[in-house]
Amino acid sequence: MSKNLSVVLVHGAFVDGSGWQAVYTLLSAEGYEVLVVQNPAITLEGDVAATERAIAEARHPVVLVGHSYGGAVVTEAGDNPKVKAIAYIAAFVPDAGESVAVLNEAPAEEGEAKAPVLPPENGYLVVNPAHFPEAFAADVDPDITRFMAVAQMPWWLGAATAPVTRVGWKVRPTFYLLASADRMVPPSAQRRMAERAGARLSEIDSSHAAMLSRPHEVADFISAAAQTVA
């Protein structure tokens, strides 16, 4: 049965929109129109523009979903009047004037890990390929994550350091799915950001790549958020 909401999925750094495939398939089977953004990952402004184009293309009011760095993108784009809710998945949730880089400066708690990102090369950032599989997606098939490691989409430093100017979570219902086994964005940081935003917080025993390792639970989380604002 067709739903009266569209879902717009926004990926994070180092990967592209193909990581949403299983979640796309599940939500589409539920009757949602699902659009997948391909961020250029050069500037935050450009990624927000790509997301705004997808929002404009959607046939219905939108549930906007961001993973990782995509959280900054959906924060900025989330005040679009067509957006009815914002859902964050293991994502950064900046406030006005904050960038992902600033949020990432917070130290991890004991037993947690932070992303093994290499120093910028020609202005681009990548995760150390040797450590990518266990850092990004330790609970995903190693054959897949080894390929992801060498097929990374480099992330321009300017996108990481650009401050957010519009803050959608202050004006839209907000939901957060915390990945408790994340080794890219510390779970303690995820909790602080979600609580600061007043998000309805859920948790999943997953690596950073929850959409790959636990697509059914991620799709259910998004669907539940959609039903709340339908």
Side-chain angles (χ1 to χ4, degrees):
M1 183 175 69
S2 178
K3 306 288 188 180
N4 62 353
L5 287 171
S6 299
V7 176
V8 174
L9 302 172
V10 182
H11 67 82
F14 314 118
V15 296
D16 66 13
S18 64
W20 290 112
Q21 182 176 0
V23 172
Y24 165 89
T25 299
L26 291 164
L27 290 172
S28 296
E30 287 191 45
Y32 291 101
E33 179 193 34
V34 185
L35 297 91
V36 181
V37 177
Q38 290 287 14
N39 289 325
I42 303 295
T43 65
L44 176 62
E45 181 182 19
D47 296 337
V48 171
T51 300
E52 296 268 15
R53 287 194 294 272
I55 293 169
E57 291 169 7
R59 295 196 302 266
H60 309 293
V62 167
V63 175
L64 187 58
V65 184
H67 174 249
S68 194
Y69 156 71
V73 179
V74 302
T75 295
E76 186 89 19
D79 71 346
N80 185 302
K82 200 171 175 181
V83 173
K84 297 305 175 187
I86 308 172
Y88 295 87
I89 299 170
F92 290 98
V93 188
D95 201 345
E98 292 179 341
S99 66
V100 169
V102 166
L103 291 174
N104 194 53
E105 290 174 359
E109 294 187 356
E110 185 177 357
E112 295 182 333
K114 297 184 71 173
V117 177
L118 294 173
E121 184 173 343
N122 298 320
Y124 286 96
L125 300 166
V126 297
V127 175
N128 187 331
H131 300 295
F132 184 100
E134 67 267 24
F136 199 91
D139 49 2
V140 175
D141 184 338
D143 287 340
I144 294 173
T145 54
R146 283 193 292 266
F147 173 76
M148 292 172 66
V150 300
Q152 288 183 68
M153 186 167 70
W155 186 27
W156 181 250
L157 186 60
T161 58
V164 162
T165 58
R166 295 148 47 201
V167 184
W169 54 259
K170 291 186 176 180
V171 293
R172 299 286 179 265
T174 303
F175 304 82
Y176 197 103
L177 184 62
L178 185 156
S180 62
D182 200 323
R183 300 183 67 82
M184 292 285 289
V185 182
S188 61
Q190 294 182 42
R191 186 178 302 279
R192 287 194 302 271
M193 291 185 288
E195 290 177 348
R196 181 179 69 168
R200 301 182 200 187
L201 180 61
S202 303
E203 294 191 32
I204 188 170
D205 181 18
S206 166
S207 70
H208 189 59
M211 74 285 294
L212 292 175
S213 64
R214 305 287 289 275
H216 288 273
E217 290 91 333
V218 170
D220 287 347
F221 164 75
I222 296 168
S223 182
Q227 291 170 35
T228 300
V229 298

